[in-house]
Amino acid sequence: QQQVKQSPQSLIVQKGGISIINCAYENTAFDYFPWYQQFPGKGPALLIAIRPDVSEKKEGRFTISFNKSAKQFSLHIMDSQPGDSATYFCAASWQGNNRLAFGKGNQVVVIP
Amino acid sequence: NAGVTQTPKFRVLKTGQSMTLLCAQDMNHEYMYWYRQDPGMGLRLIHYSVGEGTTAKGEVPDGYNVSRLKKQNFLLGLESAAPSQTSVYFCATQASSGYNEQFFGPGTRLTVL
């Protein structure tokens, strides 16, 4: 059973545009929501993470928006650049848990 | 510091052959994980370990075995490789449970013919 569901599967964005990737979860015990970024031929790396005590977290051009009542969170990439072309995974966990539940990933392609 | 390293980077096996993938870390992290990544399937957890001498099954453990004899090493074994095990394998480490980042290795691309 997929605990975290990502949409859309792939995204093509023009340079300078906004990329938006959505994730939905079912388990209300989740209280930690990271996003991982993976470039071709590399392992995933943590990009940004949020706890549900805030509805939004911003780091540079990357923003997580969190909607607890809808059990959804999203990643926004502002002013998308070709260097942002990668696969993005959302994930979820909770304090005391030793595993991350990953979404299936979303491939973002930013065209010049 | 090397972080998380994986050996080998690439491997081609014939059906029925065995092999061991090695993950090594120098971050003194307690937790270690083995994932496989397949197109459209995301990252699927094979086995994990919460400390030296302990292992546990993940989502897709069948056909794999693991060992964590030393804190810094986590081995993934395939006793009798099958074409369905063709995949990219990632090792990851985490300091402890909860709100902690997982650090991934560079991956091993395995092809089983």
Side-chain angles (χ1 to χ4, degrees):
Chain A
Q1 182 183 0
Q2 187 79 22
Q3 295 193 64
V4 181
K5 295 183 179 179
Q6 270 183 259
S7 62
Q9 274 198 319
S10 61
L11 189 62
I12 299 175
V13 181
Q14 289 270 0
K15 178 182 174 181
I18 302 173
S19 305
I20 302 174
I21 310 167
N22 301 302
C23 272
Y25 65 96
E26 289 296 325
N27 190 341
T28 54
F30 289 147
D31 64 356
Y32 173 64
F33 304 93
W35 283 91
Y36 282 76
Q37 180 187 53
Q38 182 184 31
F39 293 109
K42 305 292 185 182
L46 180 66
L47 179 64
I48 186 172
I50 196 169
R51 299 267 319 276
D53 50 345
V54 295
S55 60
E56 188 174 280
K57 182 175 181 179
K58 184 176 180 180
E59 289 185 2
R61 296 183 293 107
F62 299 91
T63 299
I64 298 180
S65 296
F66 181 78
N67 186 330
K68 188 173 181 178
S69 61
K71 291 188 287 186
Q72 293 178 347
F73 58 108
S74 59
L75 177 70
H76 297 235
I77 307 174
M78 312 300 287
D79 186 26
S80 298
Q81 299 296 312
D84 297 329
S85 296
T87 298
Y88 293 83
F89 293 95
C90 62
S93 186
W94 67 85
Q95 177 69 8
N97 188 28
N98 49 31
R99 298 166 59 165
L100 278 173
F102 281 97
K104 291 190 175 183
N106 178 295
Q107 186 173 17
V108 174
V109 176
V110 182
I111 53 178
Chain B
N1 292 339
V4 183
T5 59
Q6 292 183 233
T7 309
K9 289 184 170 52
F10 304 94
R11 186 72 185 267
V12 178
L13 288 179
K14 293 182 180 178
T15 297
Q17 286 186 317
S18 63
M19 76 163 294
T20 300
L21 283 68
L22 170 64
C23 176
Q25 55 117 346
D26 62 4
M27 295 183 287
N28 201 36
H29 284 176
E30 288 296 327
Y31 295 1
M32 297 186 75
Y33 306 84
W34 276 109
Y35 294 92
R36 60 178 289 174
Q37 183 176 22
D38 303 290
M41 300 298 290
L43 293 162
R44 293 184 292 171
L45 183 64
I46 305 171
H47 286 281
Y48 64 102
S49 168
V50 298
E52 182 179 311
T54 73
T55 63
K57 294 181 180 179
E59 298 173 64
V60 289
D62 294 343
Y64 305 94
N65 56 74
V66 288
S67 64
R68 183 106 180 264
L69 298 179
K70 293 182 179 180
K71 184 177 183 178
Q72 63 268 34
N73 295 337
F74 195 28
L75 279 65
L76 178 71
L78 287 72
E79 289 187 347
S80 179
S84 61
Q85 294 177 305
T86 293
S87 187
V88 180
Y89 291 86
F90 287 100
C91 174
T93 71
Q94 183 172 315
S96 59
S97 66
Y99 314 132
N100 286 296
E101 178 179 357
Q102 284 194 9
F103 293 84
F104 284 80
T108 294
R109 184 172 292 276
L110 175 65
T111 301
V112 183
L113 302 175

